Amino acid sequence: MLTIPYPNRMSTTQPSSIEENEIILGTGMGPLRFGATMDEVRTLVGEPEEIEESDDDDDFEHQAWNYHEEDYLLSLYFDREDDFRLSCIETDNPNMRLFGEAIFGLSLDQVKALMARHNQPTPEVETMEEGAVRLSYEKSMIDLYFEEGELQFVNFGVFINDDMEVQWPK
């Protein structure tokens, strides 16, 4: 499992914890905060096993840093437009939590109910070509992907206002 050292404790590495895997909409996950520089992320998580560059035909030039752990993948996205600050996280970590609840493996209806309990607006639901289902909450900048009826991975990012301006967490 990925162990992330906490920045306020000099060189003390903390074991995996509930907080480390907690998705905080618009803010990040655990100690990873949207708006962090590549150097700050490198200090928290270490060197990525793989760095992917965006294709020339992508709308946004970005880098994806991939960390391959024993049982999951963590991908961190840095957009050129945002001075290569952390703007999006994607993970299939089986320990991920949202609103304090474990979400990996939940059904589409269970996730919709969780989101509704936390005042999230009606989502868009799309069935992908390969049969996976994407549940999207545009205002909350989160996409949840289901395969064979269970949540498999989540992609979430920094909030963007109606004027398409990034709203970095404070």
Side-chain angles (χ1 to χ4, degrees):
M1 292 195 80
L2 177 66
T3 302
I4 301 174
Y6 287 74
N8 59 349
R9 297 191 184 136
M10 301 296 278
S11 73
T12 300
T13 301
Q14 296 295 313
S16 178
S17 69
I18 290 172
E19 293 79 25
E20 178 179 306
N21 300 310
E22 181 74 21
I23 295 169
I24 304 162
L25 296 176
T27 300
M29 185 170 86
L32 287 170
R33 296 291 190 245
F34 296 129
T37 66
M38 289 178 161
D39 286 339
E40 290 168 337
V41 169
R42 195 175 280 114
T43 298
L44 283 171
V45 189
E47 289 294 330
E49 281 84 4
E50 174 185 35
I51 296 176
E52 294 179 32
E53 300 280 342
S54 56
D55 294 329
D56 290 336
D57 60 346
D58 283 345
D59 290 339
F60 298 102
E61 186 179 339
H62 67 273
Q63 279 190 10
W65 288 12
N66 297 320
Y67 297 86
H68 302 274
E69 299 303 320
E70 287 181 27
D71 56 353
Y72 68 93
L73 174 68
L74 174 69
S75 296
L76 307 176
Y77 293 85
F78 303 86
D79 292 332
R80 177 184 178 93
E81 185 176 297
D82 297 321
D83 299 321
F84 288 104
R85 297 194 306 173
L86 179 63
S87 61
C88 185
I89 298 172
E90 184 171 283
T91 186
D92 62 355
N93 182 335
N95 299 309
M96 65 185 146
R97 301 174 69 81
L98 181 62
F99 302 118
E101 295 186 34
I103 59 172
F104 186 81
L106 292 182
S107 71
L108 184 81
D109 288 339
Q110 289 171 314
V111 171
K112 284 168 115 176
L114 171 66
M115 297 298 277
R117 284 194 305 274
H118 292 276
N119 303 314
Q120 297 300 310
T122 305
E124 291 181 23
V125 179
E126 177 183 1
T127 301
M128 313 301 281
E129 283 183 29
E130 65 280 353
V133 175
R134 182 179 70 201
L135 185 65
S136 296
Y137 291 84
E138 189 175 337
K139 285 276 189 200
S140 298
M141 297 299 292
I142 185 168
D143 292 326
L144 304 108
Y145 293 86
F146 299 80
E147 293 175 5
E148 298 179 9
E150 293 185 350
L151 180 65
Q152 297 299 311
F153 69 97
V154 178
N155 180 303
F156 55 101
V158 66
F159 289 161
I160 298 173
N161 69 15
D162 293 336
D163 296 325
M164 300 304 292
E165 298 167 334
V166 173
Q167 303 299 295
W168 299 113
K170 295 186 182 0

